[in-house]
Amino acid sequence: MKPVITIYCHEVSARLRYITSWMAEQFFGTSCELITAIDSNRHYSALINYSTVTIEQAHVQIKPNGLLNETSIREIDMDMHEWNGMPIFFRDEYEDWPFDIFSAAFYLLSRYEEYLPYTPDLYQRFPEKQSLAFRVQFLNRPLIDEWMMAFRNMLESKTSCRWTAPEFRFLPTYDIDMAYSLKAKGLQRQWGGSLKNLIQGDFKTLYQRWQVNFMGQKDPFDCFDELDQWHEQYSLAPIYFLLLGKNGPLDKNCLPNHPLMKQLIERLQTNYAIGIHPSYGSHENEVQRQHEMRLLKTHRSRQHYIRFRFPETYRQLIASGIKEDYSMGYGSINGFRASTAQPFSWFDVAKNQQEALTIFPFCFMECNSRFEQHQSVTETEKELQHYLQVSQKVGGHLITIWHNFSLGSDDTWAGWRSLYLRFLANVR
């Protein structure tokens, strides 16, 4: 049985309970108790004094910033510092520990800054350039996890306690935005595509369209057999997220009632964990969103184009029966949006309460590397290796996003499939 962490505080708030419970569970493998009175006859295995008063029995003292006792949302001026090679804020005056790690972790984990007014990007999302992590240049680091590792080491040095460190896990995930390139499109879309090829003089694609639909050639986006082989070879348990919305400017998947799409959905449901990939068009369309949710029996989701807004989107997902969401990352740059590689429960800052929705953050998506960061295959491979190394170092969950179209035989993605295979061989 792991020793319990005891935290003395003046007031037990919802925010403090949330962040300390997550800290204890994820980084110490134990539980945490909050107390407002000290029992002089009791032996505390690990006692943290989270207050401004002096407590002789305490192993470490942290001065509260005050954020965790508030219930409102306000602009906060950040006074950034560096300590042991790590950016810190909410600095305090005590020698034991140089900053309010609980408030700082809550600020980043809850995405506090995304509840404040901001100018959305082209896709109506929170822009990464407005985040503290981007501005201070720690977006590529699971900074909270680094803090927690240092904190655990410090606490172990001051006590006789030893706690369980988190273990690294790799979770491959796939967004099926366009299951097939040239088939399963319906007669109207096939004729439209053929006409477009003719007008543009793209006879190569026109010939390939004929070969795929009438001569049995494999669709260039169809890599599902190969994915099955890779998952078996490397003992992987992936999650597939399926876009099932109606067609629109940014939603172009095969319709879910097409026989080939039905077969694919059944195949993936039978062999793997699956999730809904709510369409871009469903974000502000309640009827469309509920229709898509009913098409797939799942408790997992990831937003198409990573389009979500606090707190509305997560509240809608909870109301629809979603228990796990995998959207926590940016659709414009790779990195740790919530500054952690660990899953966590969502805290609705507006309601000031923890909710029954578990967030699984991703840090890498191949489309970000290619289209947003304009990287080559070689540069992306180096970037992916970085996220593997930092996730392994903190015992985090490395969650990657790939699309079937980048792993198939489409010429425009030459080299990316080989990159992924090298990575799978290395991640073990």
Side-chain angles (χ1 to χ4, degrees):
M1 184 175 180
K2 297 297 179 181
V4 173
I5 296 174
T6 304
I7 301 177
Y8 170 82
C9 56
H10 293 310
E11 177 185 347
V12 178
S13 68
R15 294 179 179 184
L16 179 61
R17 186 179 300 279
Y18 165 76
I19 198 64
T20 55
S21 296
W22 177 73
M23 174 202 73
E25 179 180 347
Q26 292 296 136
F27 299 97
F28 291 77
T30 188
S31 59
C32 176
E33 64 170 346
L34 301 175
I35 61 174
T36 56
I38 295 294
D39 183 350
S40 59
N41 296 317
R42 177 184 169 185
H43 170 71
Y44 296 97
S45 298
L47 178 60
I48 299 170
N49 176 11
Y50 190 57
S51 75
T52 56
V53 301
T54 300
I55 298 175
E56 295 297 330
Q57 299 101 309
H59 296 98
V60 61
Q61 184 169 9
I62 299 173
K63 180 182 178 181
N65 165 269
L67 179 65
L68 301 186
N69 288 331
E70 298 175 4
T71 58
S72 59
I73 304 170
R74 60 181 175 87
E75 291 279 358
I76 299 175
D77 292 327
M78 290 299 178
D79 185 17
M80 300 300 303
H81 299 270
E82 184 173 313
W83 173 73
N84 285 358
M86 296 180 287
I88 62 171
F89 52 97
F90 297 153
R91 188 176 181 178
D92 67 39
E93 62 191 33
Y94 296 114
E95 295 181 0
D96 288 343
W97 188 256
F99 70 107
D100 184 351
I101 187 174
F102 301 145
S103 290
F106 176 82
Y107 180 87
L108 295 175
L109 194 71
S110 69
R111 305 308 304 131
Y112 188 99
E113 62 190 347
E114 296 192 41
Y115 288 80
L116 298 168
Y118 62 86
T119 302
D121 70 5
L122 177 65
Y123 301 107
Q124 302 303 303
R125 304 173 302 193
F126 176 79
E128 83 283 350
K129 292 182 180 179
Q130 296 186 33
S131 71
L132 180 68
F134 182 89
R135 290 184 283 111
V136 185
Q137 300 182 354
F138 61 84
L139 183 60
N140 66 342
R141 301 170 63 173
L143 184 60
I144 296 176
D145 304 6
E146 295 177 18
W147 290 342
M148 293 298 176
M149 286 181 60
F151 189 68
R152 189 184 67 240
N153 292 338
M154 180 276 300
L155 202 55
E156 286 185 344
S157 71
K158 292 179 174 291
T159 67
S160 59
C161 300
R162 294 296 178 269
W163 289 281
T164 303
E167 295 184 0
F168 168 77
R169 298 180 185 179
F170 169 53
L171 175 60
T173 70
Y174 307 97
D175 286 352
I176 312 303
D177 299 350
M178 291 180 282
Y180 303 104
S181 173
L182 302 172
K183 66 179 183 179
K185 299 290 186 176
L187 186 60
Q188 183 177 357
R189 292 179 70 187
Q190 286 291 4
W191 278 110
S194 299
L195 182 60
K196 180 180 179 182
N197 297 152
L198 279 171
I199 294 174
Q200 295 178 344
D202 187 0
F203 299 109
K204 178 180 178 181
T205 302
L206 184 62
Y207 176 73
Q208 187 180 37
R209 187 183 299 276
W210 174 270
Q211 291 290 99
V212 167
N213 284 285
F214 302 107
M215 303 301 292
Q217 180 175 307
K218 197 168 188 178
D219 189 279
F221 288 2
D222 184 356
C223 61
F224 299 105
D225 290 338
E226 291 83 354
L227 286 173
D228 287 345
Q229 296 171 12
W230 303 340
H231 299 148
E232 182 177 0
Q233 179 180 356
Y234 296 110
S235 302
L236 299 173
I239 303 177
Y240 287 83
F241 292 91
L242 298 159
L243 177 64
L244 302 179
K246 63 181 181 180
N247 289 319
L250 299 176
D251 301 311
K252 298 181 181 297
N253 206 355
C254 308
L255 294 179
N257 59 354
H258 192 284
L260 287 177
M261 194 63 183
K262 285 183 177 180
Q263 292 175 17
L264 177 62
I265 293 171
E266 183 178 355
R267 169 183 177 173
L268 296 178
Q269 280 182 315
T270 301
N271 297 297
Y272 303 107
I274 61 170
I276 190 71
H277 198 37
S279 66
Y280 186 90
S282 74
H283 190 260
E284 295 179 352
N285 187 326
E286 175 67 20
V287 174
Q288 176 65 19
R289 181 170 55 253
Q290 292 303 326
H291 172 71
E292 294 178 24
M293 293 291 183
R294 288 192 294 268
L295 293 174
L296 205 62
K297 292 183 179 179
T298 181
H299 62 273
R300 305 177 188 89
S301 72
R302 175 154 60 223
Q303 299 297 118
H304 189 33
Y305 271 77
I306 315 299
R307 185 188 184 189
F308 66 94
R309 181 176 60 240
F310 286 102
E312 293 86 356
T313 305
Y314 280 168
R315 290 179 182 175
Q316 292 164 357
L317 293 177
I318 292 172
S320 299
I322 296 299
K323 303 295 183 184
E324 298 176 1
D325 185 71
Y326 294 75
S327 308
M328 184 55 68
Y330 289 110
S332 50
I333 192 172
N334 290 324
F336 298 94
R337 182 168 179 165
S339 301
T340 184
Q342 298 289 349
F344 57 95
S345 295
W346 176 49
F347 190 94
D348 188 334
V349 181
K351 288 185 176 180
N352 202 53
Q353 66 184 34
Q354 181 175 330
E355 301 289 354
L357 178 68
T358 303
I359 308 303
F360 290 82
F362 73 90
C363 63
F364 174 87
M365 177 165 60
E366 96 282 39
C367 287
N368 280 346
S369 297
R370 180 177 180 181
F371 298 123
E372 302 293 338
Q373 299 169 206
H374 307 291
Q375 295 177 173
S376 66
V377 171
T378 301
E379 291 169 332
T380 299
E381 188 163 16
K382 183 178 180 181
E383 180 189 36
L384 190 52
Q385 185 64 25
H386 163 78
Y387 286 115
L388 171 61
Q389 291 174 348
V390 297
S391 298
Q392 288 175 328
K393 184 177 180 180
V394 298
H397 289 53
L398 174 60
I399 300 178
T400 60
I401 303 177
W402 287 77
H403 297 77
N404 57 296
F405 54 69
S406 67
L407 298 172
S409 58
D410 184 22
D411 291 342
T412 63
W413 283 92
W416 291 79
R417 174 176 172 145
S418 298
L419 182 164
Y420 190 52
L421 283 172
R422 290 193 296 272
F423 172 72
L424 292 183
N426 186 42
V427 74
R428 294 183 301 169

